[in-house]
Amino acid sequence: MNLKVNIGNLELKNPVLVASGTFGFGREYSHYIDLDDLGGIMVKGLTLYPKEGNPPPRIYETPSGILNSVGLQNPGVDAFIKDELPFLNRFNTKVIANIAGETIEEFVSLAQKLNIDGVDALEINVSCPNVKEGGMSFGVDPNSVYAITKKVKQASNKTVIVKLTPNVTDIKIYAKAAEDGGADAISLINTVTGMAIDINTRRPVFKNVFAGLSGPAIKPIALKNVYEAKRAVSIPVIGMGGISSAEDALEFMIAGATAVAVGTYNFINPAGSIDILEGIKKYMLRNSIFDVNQLMNSINV
């Protein structure tokens, strides 16, 4: 049974990844699962300098999901390279560094710093606010998506994955912008913008008012976006958004995803990613599928 898939020049031992922001840098989860079993780890979003994140509350549970407003708390890229990367490199799994900048120049600096042994790929978080353009998210402007992708590709020889936001009118335009900028792959979806209100204070729950919705509630949205994006580009697609079972993961792969990333489900079941991988294997055996790549984009419409 072949489980290997290719994301650009990056070969994964299997198509199951863990999504950035839900797995830290792997240390905590290493007590529950063997990180060697994962196709890859998309590490917590990294910024050029340490970031404290947003004030609490940061998490708010919703029906079939959670709203989060963590604010990209992280130790900064230099601390990651010094303190976290050596730990991750003890395992036989791919390390995908998620990078978040407030300017294109910051994205470039992050890419240059991470253009080192031990980092296998970069995932560009284009949902960050562009401080030079009044705080508007890079990801809602296809010209910005193109420009960031092109500059990061020029600054690094790593596989470059662009993580797209669903908070746009037509995902196909943004997928094509990433491809035209030189992306080796796209990943989607990031969280869906939402909010919650405290009825006793009549104030928004979060200081920033809006937050990111993730979990099973967004799976149908994510699946639609993956299906549409795959039909707009020729590069690989990594599907994510509400995956909490092997059946969910298989839906994404049949819709066109080369690989999938497990996110919020990690909070419910720390071994969820491994359970999903085992479920994919069982499905392949039941259906006499000997190469996981046969599943990709196999939808009948």
Side-chain angles (χ1 to χ4, degrees):
M1 179 186 293
N2 177 50
L3 292 170
K4 293 179 181 177
V5 298
N6 291 297
I7 304 295
N9 293 325
L10 181 67
E11 183 181 85
L12 305 178
K13 69 170 73 173
N14 68 65
V16 178
L17 309 164
V18 284
S20 176
T22 66
F23 208 78
F25 300 117
R27 286 185 185 272
E28 298 85 357
Y29 285 92
S30 68
H31 299 297
Y32 298 95
I33 65 171
D34 184 351
L35 301 186
D36 282 342
D37 292 337
L38 295 169
I41 298 173
M42 295 166 143
V43 305
K44 183 170 178 56
L46 299 168
T47 51
L48 203 53
Y49 306 105
K51 197 172 176 69
E52 291 186 0
N54 294 332
R58 292 178 169 188
I59 299 290
Y60 184 85
E61 191 168 351
T62 67
S64 297
I66 59 170
L67 284 164
N68 93 81
S69 180
V70 174
L72 290 172
Q73 178 182 343
N74 77 98
V77 65
D78 292 333
F80 166 75
I81 292 169
K82 176 177 177 289
D83 301 326
E84 305 296 344
L85 189 58
F87 169 78
L88 287 168
N89 288 157
R90 286 163 41 190
F91 300 93
N92 180 28
T93 191
K94 301 300 183 184
V95 176
I96 301 170
N98 179 288
I99 58 174
E102 293 185 345
T103 63
I104 292 179
E105 291 76 18
E106 283 194 8
F107 278 104
V108 169
S109 294
L110 285 160
Q112 290 171 335
K113 283 177 175 286
L114 291 163
N115 196 34
I116 55 175
D117 290 343
V119 174
D120 298 293
L122 301 176
E123 183 183 45
I124 307 174
N125 181 1
V126 294
S127 296
C128 302
N130 182 349
V131 297
K132 289 188 176 180
E133 298 294 336
M136 181 181 72
S137 168
F138 286 104
V140 300
D141 177 7
N143 294 322
S144 292
V145 172
Y146 171 85
I148 291 173
T149 307
K150 186 173 183 179
K151 289 290 187 180
V152 169
K153 278 294 292 182
Q154 291 171 346
S156 174
N157 60 16
K158 304 296 181 182
T159 297
V160 171
I161 304 160
V162 179
K163 187 171 188 177
L164 299 177
T165 173
N167 304 307
V168 296
T169 53
D170 186 348
I171 197 69
K172 297 187 292 296
I173 294 171
Y174 299 85
K176 196 71 175 70
E179 182 179 46
D180 290 345
D184 298 291
I186 53 175
S187 60
L188 63 158
I189 60 173
N190 209 328
T191 55
V192 177
T193 301
M195 71 178 292
I197 295 172
D198 183 328
I199 61 171
N200 296 308
T201 63
R202 301 184 189 179
R203 295 178 182 275
V205 168
F206 298 105
K207 184 177 180 181
N208 288 353
V209 182
F210 304 127
L213 178 66
S214 64
I218 72 168
K219 194 198 95 177
I221 299 169
L223 195 60
K224 170 185 177 287
N225 276 264
V226 165
Y227 177 82
E228 289 189 330
K230 180 59 182 176
R231 278 140 191 82
V233 298
S234 59
I235 55 177
V237 174
I238 301 171
M240 61 187 74
I243 295 174
S244 53
S245 67
E247 289 75 15
D248 290 341
L250 288 161
E251 283 188 69
F252 277 86
M253 295 166 77
I254 291 166
T258 298
V260 295
V262 181
T264 300
Y265 188 52
N266 290 310
F267 300 145
I268 306 298
N269 177 6
S273 53
I274 306 305
D275 292 345
I276 287 169
L277 177 60
E278 290 305 311
I280 292 171
K281 292 179 185 177
K282 289 176 182 177
Y283 175 87
M284 291 173 64
L285 287 171
R286 285 198 309 269
N287 291 275
S288 300
I289 297 170
F290 304 105
D291 185 340
V292 74
N293 293 279
Q294 292 175 246
L295 286 169
M296 314 308 176
N297 205 24
S298 60
I299 190 168
N300 296 312
V301 290

